[in-house]
Amino acid sequence: MIIRILNENQYIVPSLYLDEINEIDNEIVRCIAKSDSEGFKKKYAELVEIVRSNGIPMDPATIKESDLIIPPADVTFEEARNIFIGEGLIPG
C-alpha cells in the first residue's frame, strides 16, 4: 500500500503492517476522545515510525495515488481532533 505522510513523502508499506497501523489509528481516536494529548503524541509518533521504518520511500518525482494519507509528523493535538474522528483514518 502507498502511504503519504503530508509534507514529507510517499512510502510503499507492505500490507502486513495494515492491521498494526489500523490498531494504532484506533488507539489515536481513543486518545483524542479522552483528551489525552500525551497518549496521542506517543501513538502518533508510533504510527509515523511504522511507516518510515517499514516503508520504502518513493521517488518524489513519481506521482501515484496514495491508499492512505496521514497528517504531518508534527501535527498538533488540536489539529488531530479534526482528523481522527469516527473510525479514524482507516475504517474498521
Side-chain angles (χ1 to χ4, degrees), residues 16-33:
L16 64 98
Y17 293 102
L18 181 59
D19 287 343
E20 188 174 0
I21 290 170
N22 191 29
E23 180 56 34
I24 294 172
D25 178 45
N26 291 335
E27 290 175 12
I28 289 170
V29 170
R30 285 192 287 272
C31 287
I32 289 174

Side-chain angles (χ1 to χ4, degrees), residues 76-88:
T76 67
F77 183 73
E78 290 71 27
E79 292 169 329
R81 285 178 183 250
N82 296 319
I83 299 168
F84 291 92
I85 55 176
E87 295 185 61

Side-chain angles (χ1 to χ4, degrees), residues 4 10 13-14 19 22-23 29 38 41 44 54 57 59 63 72 79:
R4 173 176 292 283
Q10 286 181 299
V13 179
D19 287 343
N22 191 29
E23 180 56 34
V29 170
E38 290 304 313
K41 288 178 187 173
Y44 194 67
N54 298 295
D59 180 347
I63 299 174
E79 292 169 329

Side-chain angles (χ1 to χ4, degrees), residues 4-76:
R4 173 176 292 283
I5 301 175
L6 286 176
N7 300 338
E8 193 171 311
N9 199 359
Q10 286 181 299
Y11 296 84
I12 299 171
V13 179
S15 59
L16 64 98
Y17 293 102
L18 181 59
D19 287 343
E20 188 174 0
I21 290 170
N22 191 29
E23 180 56 34
I24 294 172
D25 178 45
N26 291 335
E27 290 175 12
I28 289 170
V29 170
R30 285 192 287 272
C31 287
I32 289 174
K34 295 187 304 186
S35 296
D36 177 5
S37 64
E38 290 304 313
F40 160 75
K41 288 178 187 173
K42 180 180 173 192
K43 289 299 172 185
Y44 194 67
E46 282 181 38
L47 179 64
V48 170
E49 182 57 28
I50 286 174
V51 174
R52 287 179 178 157
S53 64
N54 298 295
I56 299 168
M58 291 180 59
D59 180 347
T62 301
I63 299 174
K64 286 204 160 197
E65 184 176 350
S66 299
D67 298 300
L68 179 64
I69 300 172
I70 65 175
D74 63 351
V75 66
T76 67

